[in-house]
Amino acid sequence: MQNGLDPSESDPRFHQQMVYAVTMKTIENFDRALGHSMRLAGVGRRATTYPRLRLFPHAFYGANAFYSRELNAILFGYFLADAANPGPNLPGQTVFTCLSHDVIAHETTHALVDRLRPLFLEASNEDVLAFHEGFADLVALFQHFSYPDVLRQHIQQTRSDIRTPTPLVELARQFGYATGTGKALRSALDAPGTKLSDDLLEPHDRGSVLVAAVFGGYDTTYRNRIYDLIRIATGGTGQLPSGDLHPDLVNRIALEASRTAQRVLDMCVRAFDYLPPVDVEFGDFLRALVTADYELLPADPDLRDAMIEAFRLRGIYPSGVTSLAEESLLWPAPPAGLAPIGAEVVNLLQDVFFQAIQSFETGGWQSPADFTLRPSVSPERQYQSTDEQGEEYRLDLNAEFATQLALYAQRNAAALGLDPGARTQVRGFHPVFRVAPNGRLLIELVAQFAQQDSSLHQELGGIPFRGGATVIASGDGTVRYLITKPFHRAAGDATGERARARLARQRGFVATADMTNPKTPYMPRDEYATRIAAMADFSALHGG
Ligand SMILES: [Zn+2]
């Protein structure tokens, strides 16, 4: 679009351009929906604080591509297409994974999710890694709908039935065919009646149930929204005649399809602010979707209702809710007596907002998240912490702010489902500025806290037991939503019970993982000690 190189499989410079363009498009989708900048690109003065994500279009020979946290990079492989069954490829043709939109978008999403929720790489239940995979597929899938030519062609071909298996709803088609499987790598469609079952453990397979659920919700909403167009076009019968559809009708349907897809993608990304910091379950994602969308568009429930129904059809239920009505799926309000989040940090908050407002005036709108680190604070003062249990992590947050937030968590530990006696890690903080479609400016503060018990490391296969809480506050610091995964030493009867149930479930997950892995009895001692931690190795997960 900006006079780049023409598409060419044989020009390695085009390969680089392709990877860069799709990566940036994916990052921009996150930035817009989240109302703050992900800064994976490492621009401006922030370049020194977080290293730039590195992209290697021709990293290795092999039918694979993966994100590596250790290398802070995405590595794309290349391989020869299957000689016997190459699909639409030439037998033995070199296939570059860096030329696949879906592979690039999927891997970039892994990197983004890892930045937003670093503890989602710990398999504390069967949904955690499956969520990583499913979410990465969702972003790749819904980005398909932003290419108008593809979309119009598809709608003409399928006569507006979006559930027809075509490249639009398939993922990594070339990769799938080139590896000799005779089909695309994955699809957004599931067979009618497919349910999430306990023995579906492989992360991509389990994740595809999540993809099918979100796509189902999208499809219902899309069909409702084009129904009037179809009726107008058919004189009220709703039955399309045979032959090609009128190009004007195709254009209008494509517009609706792409608008709805963009709203679903925004809704999914925005839901991240409403996810717990640890131990995510598919049901948590549904609650986060509903809450995030309700906050922005309270009077417009059709998409939320469709999502709830699509999740229900696939047997994805949140735990601890009394019904599937919208109001019981919204995350709960905090217990009375939880202090406002800005009480200890009120001056710092004023700084954040003041500078954000200034940037409106000077015209150069910058993401407010850029102001969590004040210009006077040098990058070396970026918050780095070593937990008493030796865990190192770092945050895009100045140290003073982080100390104050840790104090807040300590004082309110019981209400947050945490142990007042244990050290609390601040795992994230940012202000969010969003403009709702009705023009309303929504200001929120999102903070994440976590605690860990690493004495259970060995028993849990190399990861600690963690509890955590996400706190969503309005601009004045009043806590509006509290999303908790209680720690097992938390006080309070109900909280303690939930926490112990979580620990029992995590132990059960380890047992099931061991039982279903034929290698378990033969693992050398050191491999056995980290077998659950090792599940999150994407280079192993994406073996082609
Ligand atoms: Zn993946």
Side-chain angles (χ1 to χ4, degrees):
M1 279 193 296
Q2 293 165 354
N3 292 324
L5 299 163
D6 287 335
S8 159
E9 271 192 60
S10 59
D11 184 349
R13 292 176 311 157
F14 174 72
H15 294 196
Q16 298 172 346
Q17 175 181 285
M18 170 88 180
V19 172
Y20 181 77
V22 176
T23 303
M24 288 311 289
K25 182 186 173 115
T26 310
I27 293 175
E28 278 159 18
N29 266 322
F30 272 73
D31 282 354
R32 197 198 45 253
L34 285 171
H36 62 91
S37 165
M38 289 298 298
R39 290 186 305 277
L40 283 189
V43 288
R45 64 172 190 275
R46 309 306 298 272
T48 48
T49 61
Y50 256 129
R52 197 184 292 243
L53 178 71
R54 301 183 300 166
L55 307 167
F56 293 94
H58 308 118
F60 58 93
Y61 179 79
N64 200 359
F66 61 92
Y67 159 69
S68 160
R69 181 196 282 179
E70 287 65 41
L71 300 172
N72 185 36
I74 299 173
L75 294 92
F76 297 90
Y78 54 93
F79 61 102
L80 302 182
D82 196 73
N85 183 18
N89 305 291
L90 283 172
Q93 171 194 348
T94 306
V95 174
F96 295 96
T97 60
C98 70
L99 289 178
S100 162
H101 165 276
D102 293 348
V103 173
I104 305 167
H106 179 105
E107 299 307 332
T108 306
T109 306
H110 276 312
L112 288 159
V113 170
D114 196 33
R115 188 66 62 86
L116 288 165
R117 289 289 185 278
L119 300 176
F120 283 9
L121 282 191
E122 289 179 359
S124 52
N125 73 61
E126 59 276 20
D127 283 352
V128 180
L129 299 177
F131 176 77
H132 237 289
E133 292 305 336
F135 195 82
D137 276 353
L138 277 174
V139 172
L141 173 74
F142 281 102
Q143 283 190 178
H144 289 179
F145 292 81
S146 57
Y147 298 96
D149 291 343
V150 183
L151 194 55
R152 277 194 293 269
Q153 194 190 351
H154 171 88
I155 282 168
Q156 183 62 270
Q157 240 171 40
T158 63
R159 310 174 53 69
S160 83
D161 178 5
I162 232 147
R163 288 191 68 87
T164 314
T166 63
L168 189 71
V169 293
E170 288 173 335
L171 287 156
R173 213 173 130 81
Q174 188 190 22
F175 183 93
Y177 279 104
T179 48
T181 59
K183 58 181 173 58
L185 187 60
R186 286 188 289 281
S187 160
L189 308 175
D190 55 355
T194 304
K195 297 226 181 226
L196 187 69
S197 72
D198 290 345
D199 53 8
L200 191 61
L201 289 177
E202 200 286 319
H204 298 88
D205 295 344
R206 194 172 177 84
S208 63
V209 181
L210 187 74
V211 176
V214 174
F215 188 76
Y218 164 75
D219 180 52
T220 308
T221 312
Y222 155 78
R223 274 188 288 120
N224 288 338
R225 290 185 178 177
I226 61 163
Y227 197 54
D228 57 346
L229 294 173
I230 307 258
R231 265 189 318 219
I232 294 168
T234 56
T237 66
Q239 296 297 315
L240 290 166
S242 56
D244 278 357
L245 303 181
H246 194 289
D248 290 348
L249 180 63
V250 170
N251 279 337
R252 289 294 305 275
I253 292 177
L255 184 66
E256 210 49 70
S258 103
R259 268 189 198 150
T260 310
Q262 190 64 55
R263 182 158 164 224
V264 171
L265 183 55
D266 286 351
M267 181 194 201
C268 288
V269 174
R270 215 179 281 136
F272 259 98
D273 281 338
Y274 298 83
L275 286 176
V278 297
D279 200 32
V280 70
E281 296 164 63
F282 287 179
D284 296 333
F285 184 56
L286 176 61
R287 297 193 71 178
L289 281 177
V290 170
T291 313
D293 196 65
Y294 175 84
E295 278 296 299
L296 208 59
L297 299 157
D300 192 2
D302 65 332
L303 185 55
R304 296 193 285 280
D305 291 347
M307 287 294 166
I308 294 169
E309 177 61 9
F311 275 65
R312 187 192 67 79
L313 278 174
R314 287 161 185 87
I316 305 175
Y317 304 110
S319 52
V321 296
T322 49
S323 82
L324 288 178
E326 181 181 289
E327 59 271 22
S328 51
L329 287 179
L330 293 175
W331 287 116
L338 182 61
I341 200 169
E344 284 86 352
V345 281
V346 76
N347 290 332
L348 294 168
L349 281 184
Q350 275 171 4
D351 279 0
V352 169
F353 290 129
F354 182 66
Q355 294 180 61
I357 288 160
Q358 270 189 327
S359 79
F360 276 116
E361 281 178 354
T362 53
W365 164 250
Q366 286 172 289
S367 164
D370 280 352
F371 300 101
T372 53
L373 188 79
R374 291 181 296 166
S376 58
V377 178
S378 64
E380 300 81 65
R381 285 195 52 205
Q382 182 199 24
Y383 184 55
Q384 278 199 343
S385 173
T386 307
D387 193 73
E388 79 241 36
Q389 287 158 326
E391 184 178 42
E392 275 185 47
Y393 65 100
R394 64 175 178 177
L395 274 182
D396 229 1
L397 187 63
N398 92 43
E400 196 182 344
F401 222 125
T403 313
Q404 294 297 333
L405 283 165
L407 270 175
Y408 170 84
Q410 217 72 50
R411 286 187 194 132
N412 295 285
L416 298 175
L418 301 173
D419 173 10
R423 164 126 181 226
T424 305
Q425 302 177 333
V426 180
R427 298 302 303 227
F429 175 77
H430 58 257
V432 179
F433 292 65
R434 289 186 191 120
V435 180
N438 60 8
R440 199 157 64 103
L441 177 66
L442 203 67
I443 303 174
E444 281 173 342
L445 304 167
V446 184
Q448 300 175 57
F449 304 104
Q451 288 184 335
Q452 61 160 316
D453 177 356
S454 52
S455 70
L456 297 168
H457 239 268
Q458 203 171 3
E459 189 192 340
L460 299 173
I463 60 173
F465 179 73
R466 292 188 200 263
T470 299
V471 178
I472 317 252
S474 51
D476 64 356
T478 311
V479 179
R480 309 214 33 239
Y481 295 108
L482 178 61
I483 300 134
T484 61
K485 293 280 173 174
F487 196 55
H488 61 321
R489 290 196 300 261
D493 282 353
T495 318
E497 203 172 301
R498 265 183 70 207
R500 284 186 293 277
R502 283 187 54 235
L503 181 55
R505 185 173 171 206
Q506 188 163 342
R507 286 181 167 133
F509 169 67
V510 174
T512 314
D514 285 347
M515 220 153 52
T516 48
N517 185 353
K519 286 189 202 149
T520 311
Y522 310 105
M523 278 180 187
R525 186 191 295 258
D526 55 334
E527 198 184 325
Y528 182 76
T530 57
R531 66 199 184 285
I532 300 293
M535 290 168 98
D537 180 359
F538 286 123
S539 63
L541 273 178
H542 290 78

